[in-house]
């Protein structure tokens, strides 16, 4: 299966139209649809959000591109809304959070497994183990605060167990920067991966910052604040992978190619026919956007965009369980840390990061607290009689005794 | 598209681990084999929550009293001191609850019109009549608060919390994917809480010497008891009909 992006023309921009009924259509079923339908929905919202964000920044620096940027961005915005509105009203913010972490794990694992540049692949594996740990912490919160099982959302595709502990993921800013790819040498897929994962992580950061304070529970508020900080670090890490010397049009081209690649991947694997139609329609829209940017590049930079793009995408992004890859990475790399641009053994960790996290964790670690002694079990830890029938000890009396 | 006619996955609920005969056991074994990253239990978080509970401030307070000009002298006397605020807070709570109750019935009426009822279920007239009760109770509370010199547009702390408590009820009733019986199950929570709310308020008003208000609250209580009993009866009829496989619509 492959997609020939040089000959597919897509839907012309002036024919990309929406109605409010389209935009706020029927959501997927939290209960019946496959977990990877939710994964695709969350991922594509992140991709569209990144598309809008990129175009806003580009418009601030490129007066001559403002009109085409605004035209394409308007469609991106409506696509983002339509994709996000596929989320059902019975899915709580914490359940959606579990979905976000499943996206971060399974999509990043795929990217890490197929990324051709070994340094980039290591960076993705490094981030993967951190998002893997976030899932464990949120699952513990869901179990212990709400009495609900995270696996109702995960559908057994993704493990719930500790990764690199969130409490040690806090790093000094200089240890979150990474080396960027060289725009003239990097494979197109390397560029696409960087744009894809940056967008995904950015929406996760924004989501946690938005929903974190909607919780009343202090432990939930603390945990969202802590993990949002790591997502901010991840955005710093992943956006550093793109070559800052790319022109705005080069970056725009990569962004559109990323959207084409991602929608094509969704289209190839979607099981829900109604949602598959959305992916097909938006794939065609993105091919239209890509064509427009190719023409702009020829017109403005007098360059052939074909030199920057793959002729075709060989394999779609795999929306599937990466359990073995994640477990192997966990076994081999969980202890790794960062120092400057490099991923290093723990004894070489940057002293600046050690000092930074000691200060942040000085009054306790929310992520350690929420999952103290926690092991995920099907049906929640309350299926364990020892937990269910644990002896009651009054906190007031305990405090008084101390 | 009918709720029972999804082309992709008819009748497949994928949330349980039994639906994943290969992945499920691997996930369970993996979680069992990997120790937690730190010792302790849920009690660690409980200790922190306890400290926050001890140290936290309030959600909010009662608004300052309006001018008592024009308010009957007897009412002024009855409102003096802290007891007045307790009563006004609870009046504000019932006011908000009944006002939202009107909107909940709007949602239920829409559901019934969209998907019909069942034998022994509510009629449109039942729901329209109950909606009118909620609207009247709201009006009574506006009048009662105004007569006591309070601002009936203010959100008192209990009014705020009762709206937070009801969030899920509204979410179920307003979801176009839920049927009338599912929506009525949510409404049952509201009706049971409403009965308890009027019972409490009538007792409080009586104990503070507001005889007329207490009588009005008891009347509302009688009507809400009828609502709660009716909803329970409709739901019973629904499950019995459904269990016998005789339900055509409105699942």
């Amino acid at each position: 299966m492959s997609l020939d992006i040089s000959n597919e023309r897509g839907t012309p921009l002036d024919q990309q139209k929406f109605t409010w009924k389209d935009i706020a259509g029927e959501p997927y079923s939290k209960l019946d649809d496959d977990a990877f339908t939710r994964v695709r929905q969350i991922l594509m919202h992140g991709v569209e959000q990144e598309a809008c964000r990129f175009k806003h920044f580009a418009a601030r620096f490129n007066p001559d591109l403002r009109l085409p940027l605004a035209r394409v961005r308007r469609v991106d915005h409506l696509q983002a809304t339509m994709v996000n509105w596929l989320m059902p009203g019975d899915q709580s913010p914490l359940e959606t959070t579990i979905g976000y972490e499943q996206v971060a794990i399974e999509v990043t694992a795929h990217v890490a497994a197929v990324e051709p540049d070994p340094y980039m692949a290591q960076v993705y594996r490094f981030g993967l183990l951190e998002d893997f740990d976030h899932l464990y912490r949120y699952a513990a919160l869901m179990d212990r605060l709400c009495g609900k099982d995270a696996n109702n959302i995960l559908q057994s595709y993704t493990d719930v167990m500790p990764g690199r502990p969130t409490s040690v993921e806090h790093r000094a800013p200089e240890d979150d920067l990474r080396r960027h790819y060289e725009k003239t040498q990097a494979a197109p897929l390397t560029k696409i991966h960087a744009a894809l994962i940056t967008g995904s992580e950015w929406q996760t950061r924004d989501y946690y910052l938005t929903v974190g304070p909607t919780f009343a529970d202090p432990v939930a508020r603390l945990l969202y604040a802590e993990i949002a900080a790591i997502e901010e670090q991840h955005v710093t890490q992943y956006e550093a992978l793109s070559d800052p010397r790319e022109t705005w049009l080069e970056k725009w081209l990569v962004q559109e190619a990323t959207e084409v690649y991602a929608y094509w991947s969704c289209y190839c694997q979607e099981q829900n026919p109604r949602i598959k139609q959305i992916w097909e329609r938006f794939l065609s829209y993105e091919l239209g956007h890509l064509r427009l940017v190719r023409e702009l590049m020829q017109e403005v930079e007098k360059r052939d965009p074909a030199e920057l793009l793959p002729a075709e995408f060989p394999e779609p992004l795999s929306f599937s369980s990466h359990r073995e890859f994640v477990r192997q990475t966990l076994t081999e790399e969980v202890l790794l840390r960062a120092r400057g641009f490099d991923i290093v053994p723990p004894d070489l960790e940057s002293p600046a990061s050690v000092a930074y996290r000691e200060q942040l964790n000085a009054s306790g670690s929310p992520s350690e607290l929420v999952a103290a002694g926690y092991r995920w079990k099907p049906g929640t830890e309350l299926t364990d009689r020892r937990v269910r029938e644990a002896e009651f000890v009054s906190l007031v009396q305990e405090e008084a005794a101390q | 598209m009918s709720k029972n006619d999804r082309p992709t996955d008819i009748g497949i609920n994928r949330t349980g681990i039994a639906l994943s005969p290969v992945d499920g056991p691997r996930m369970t074994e993996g979680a069992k084999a990997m120790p937690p990253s730190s010792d302790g239990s849920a009690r660690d978080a409980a200790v922190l929550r306890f400290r926050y509970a001890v140290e936290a401030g309030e959600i909010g307070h009662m608004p300052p009293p309006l001018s008592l000009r024009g308010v009957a002298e007897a009412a002024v006397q009855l409102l003096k001191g802290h007891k007045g605020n307790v009563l006004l807070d609870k009046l504000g709570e019932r006011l908000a609850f009944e006002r939202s109750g009107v909107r909940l019935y709007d949602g239920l009426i829409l559901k019934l019109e969209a998907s019909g009822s069942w034998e022994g279920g509510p009629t449109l007239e039942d729901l329209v009549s109950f909606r009118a009760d909620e609207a009247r109770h709201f009006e009574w509370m506006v009048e009662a608060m105004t007569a006591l010199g309070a601002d009936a547009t203010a959100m008192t702390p209990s009014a705020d919390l009762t709206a937070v408590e009801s969030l899920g009820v509204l979410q179920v009733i307003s979801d176009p994917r839920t049927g009338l019986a599912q929506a009525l199950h949510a409404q049952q929570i509201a009706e049971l809480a409403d009965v308890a709310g009027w019972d409490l308020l009538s007792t409080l008003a009586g104990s503070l010497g507001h005889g007329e208000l207490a009588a009005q609250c008891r009347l509302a209580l009688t009507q809400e008891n009828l609502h709660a009993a009716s909803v329970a009866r409709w739901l019973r009829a629904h499950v019995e009909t459904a269990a016998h496989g005789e339900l055509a619509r409105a699942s």
Side-chain angles (χ1 to χ4, degrees):
Chain A
M1 189 181 290
S2 64
L3 178 70
D4 177 357
I5 61 170
S6 51
N7 289 317
E8 296 279 355
R9 297 182 65 78
T11 306
L13 193 61
D14 59 3
Q15 291 173 30
Q16 299 185 2
K17 295 183 192 307
F18 298 82
T19 65
W20 297 120
K21 196 176 177 195
D22 263 352
I23 291 168
E26 183 167 344
Y28 56 77
S29 166
K30 180 180 88 174
L31 306 181
D32 294 355
D33 274 303
D34 190 86
F36 278 102
T37 293
R38 177 176 29 250
V39 164
R40 285 183 280 272
Q41 174 267 313
I42 293 171
L43 176 71
M44 293 321 299
H45 179 245
V47 168
E48 290 293 359
Q49 287 278 69
E50 176 69 5
C52 290
R53 197 179 295 120
F54 165 77
K55 289 180 184 70
H56 277 298
F57 283 112
R60 295 178 196 182
F61 292 90
N62 297 281
D64 296 341
L65 291 176
R66 283 185 174 183
L67 184 57
L69 283 166
R71 283 182 172 148
V72 178
R73 191 175 59 229
R74 180 62 51 85
V75 175
D76 286 335
H77 173 83
L78 296 176
Q79 286 177 281
T81 312
M82 189 164 152
V83 169
N84 209 30
W85 261 237
L86 290 173
M87 215 182 287
D90 58 331
Q91 190 169 283
S92 72
L94 186 48
E95 288 173 326
T96 301
T97 297
I98 297 294
Y100 267 66
E101 293 301 344
Q102 188 168 36
V103 172
I105 293 162
E106 300 300 350
V107 175
T108 310
H110 164 82
V111 165
V114 303
E115 167 57 49
D117 181 314
Y119 172 76
M120 302 281 159
Q122 178 164 58
V123 171
Y124 293 124
R125 292 197 305 273
F126 185 73
L128 164 66
L129 295 187
E130 302 195 332
D131 287 319
F132 185 72
D133 192 73
H134 301 168
L135 174 61
Y136 167 70
R137 311 287 157 180
Y138 281 129
L141 177 71
M142 179 179 262
D143 188 338
R144 290 176 167 178
L145 177 66
C146 315
K148 292 171 81 173
D149 181 355
N151 198 37
N152 290 158
I153 297 297
L154 299 168
Q155 298 177 5
S156 305
Y157 290 122
T158 309
D159 281 333
V160 179
M161 57 174 81
R164 178 173 304 114
T166 300
S167 60
V168 304
E169 294 170 10
H170 305 289
R171 291 177 288 272
E174 58 266 38
D175 296 321
D176 282 321
L177 297 178
R178 301 288 171 257
R179 278 185 211 95
H180 61 79
Y181 59 69
E182 295 294 329
K183 69 172 187 172
T184 55
Q185 294 165 25
L189 200 56
T190 294
K191 298 176 184 178
I192 286 170
H193 284 162
L196 183 76
I197 301 297
T198 301
S200 180
E201 293 288 327
W202 201 328
Q203 79 151 350
T204 305
R205 168 197 177 273
D206 285 0
Y207 185 71
Y208 294 168
L209 288 177
T210 302
V211 303
T214 67
F215 285 84
D217 174 53
V219 176
R221 293 169 75 91
L222 285 162
L223 185 65
Y224 273 88
E226 183 183 7
I227 296 183
I230 304 300
E231 304 303 348
E232 163 62 20
Q233 291 182 207
H234 284 182
V235 177
T236 303
Q237 164 172 283
Y238 293 126
E239 75 183 359
L241 299 179
S242 296
D243 192 335
R245 295 166 302 188
E246 285 171 322
T247 67
W248 283 98
L249 270 168
E250 283 174 334
K251 286 194 180 295
W252 190 359
L253 199 71
V254 169
Q255 179 62 42
E256 296 301 345
T258 302
E259 291 173 71
V260 168
Y261 175 62
Y263 277 123
W264 174 62
S265 302
C266 291
Y267 169 72
C268 293
Q269 293 161 78
E270 183 59 62
Q271 296 175 34
N272 181 324
R274 185 172 57 80
I275 293 175
K276 191 180 180 84
Q277 280 181 357
I278 296 173
W279 304 143
E280 183 178 25
R281 172 177 162 192
F282 286 178
L283 168 60
S284 184
Y285 283 16
E286 294 306 336
L287 286 163
H289 299 174
L290 182 63
R291 179 155 61 96
L292 184 144
V293 182
R294 290 162 72 112
E295 288 165 3
L296 274 173
M297 181 165 266
Q298 286 167 333
E299 188 184 314
V300 177
E301 295 193 357
K302 313 294 181 204
R303 294 167 65 191
D304 179 6
E307 69 192 51
L308 299 169
L309 293 170
E312 59 180 32
F313 293 128
E315 291 293 332
L317 197 164
S318 167
F319 293 106
S320 59
S321 173
H322 293 79
R323 192 187 315 279
E324 280 318 308
F325 180 84
V326 175
R327 284 189 184 179
Q328 188 185 342
T329 307
L330 194 62
T331 305
E332 295 169 2
E333 303 187 18
V334 72
L335 296 176
L336 296 183
R337 300 288 185 266
R339 186 184 186 109
F341 293 162
D342 296 315
I343 310 300
V344 297
D347 54 323
L348 296 180
E349 187 179 12
S350 149
S353 281
V354 174
Y356 173 74
R357 73 164 175 262
E358 278 178 0
Q359 186 276 315
L360 259 184
N361 291 332
S363 62
S365 161
S367 54
E368 290 297 319
L369 185 88
V370 75
Y374 183 72
R375 277 180 208 261
W376 173 82
K377 284 187 174 63
T380 79
E381 69 175 359
L382 288 174
T383 56
D384 185 334
R385 209 174 124 211
R386 289 165 301 175
V387 177
R388 204 166 56 238
E389 297 177 4
E391 189 189 355
F392 171 76
V393 180
S394 160
L395 285 164
V396 176
Q397 288 170 8
E398 197 173 82
E399 288 260 314
Q402 285 173 5
Chain B
M1 189 188 301
S2 159
K3 290 181 180 69
N4 298 317
D5 191 25
R6 292 178 50 115
T8 43
D9 42 16
I10 297 169
I12 291 188
N13 175 318
R14 299 174 196 259
T15 56
I17 200 163
L19 256 282
S20 307
V22 177
D23 281 322
R26 297 197 65 206
M27 186 174 173
T28 308
E29 286 156 18
K32 206 171 175 181
M34 180 70 86
S37 68
S38 57
D39 293 335
S41 68
R43 191 165 180 82
D44 296 58
V47 170
L48 181 128
R49 289 183 175 115
F50 172 77
R51 289 191 188 129
Y52 269 73
V54 168
E55 293 166 9
E58 306 288 339
I59 276 185
H61 298 89
M62 289 294 288
L66 294 177
S67 161
L68 293 178
R69 205 176 338 151
V71 176
E73 178 59 25
V76 173
Q77 289 305 316
L78 288 169
L79 279 173
K80 275 186 178 170
H82 192 66
K83 62 188 181 185
N85 278 343
V86 174
L87 178 63
L88 290 175
D89 182 31
K90 287 294 169 193
L91 285 171
E93 174 195 301
R94 276 309 89 203
L95 181 154
F97 200 88
E98 298 299 318
R99 186 171 54 194
S100 294
V102 175
R103 299 307 181 193
L104 294 179
Y105 271 100
D106 282 342
L108 292 168
I109 289 166
L110 188 146
K111 274 298 175 218
L112 185 142
E113 296 217 276
S115 61
S117 187
W118 54 90
E119 195 177 338
T123 64
L124 185 61
E125 291 70 30
D126 290 330
L127 297 183
V128 169
S129 164
F130 285 6
R131 182 196 185 276
D133 290 344
E134 305 290 339
R136 200 177 321 108
H137 299 166
F138 161 60
E139 189 186 351
W140 289 351
M141 290 299 95
V142 172
E143 289 168 359
M145 288 189 79
T146 307
L148 292 170
D151 179 357
T153 67
M155 182 187 282
T156 70
S158 290
D160 178 38
L161 289 178
T162 203
V164 176
E165 291 158 15
S166 309
L167 278 175
V169 174
L170 177 64
Q171 194 76 345
V172 170
I173 292 177
S174 62
D175 192 329
R177 301 170 305 159
T178 58
L180 178 61
Q182 291 169 324
L184 279 172
H185 188 263
Q187 181 66 16
Q188 190 169 38
I189 294 174
E191 293 296 1
L192 291 171
D194 217 5
V195 165
W198 284 113
D199 186 41
L200 188 80
L201 187 57
S202 63
T203 306
L204 178 65
S207 74
L208 294 180
H210 295 270
E212 278 185 37
L213 178 59
Q216 200 171 34
C217 292
R218 281 195 295 277
L219 178 57
L221 175 60
T222 305
Q223 291 169 338
E224 295 297 352
N225 266 319
L226 174 67
H227 292 192
S230 301
V231 171
R233 191 179 66 249
W234 298 332
L235 288 173
R236 222 166 20 243
H238 180 269
V239 292
E240 282 168 6
T241 315
H244 289 94
E246 294 162 5
L247 200 63
R249 304 181 71 194
S251 59

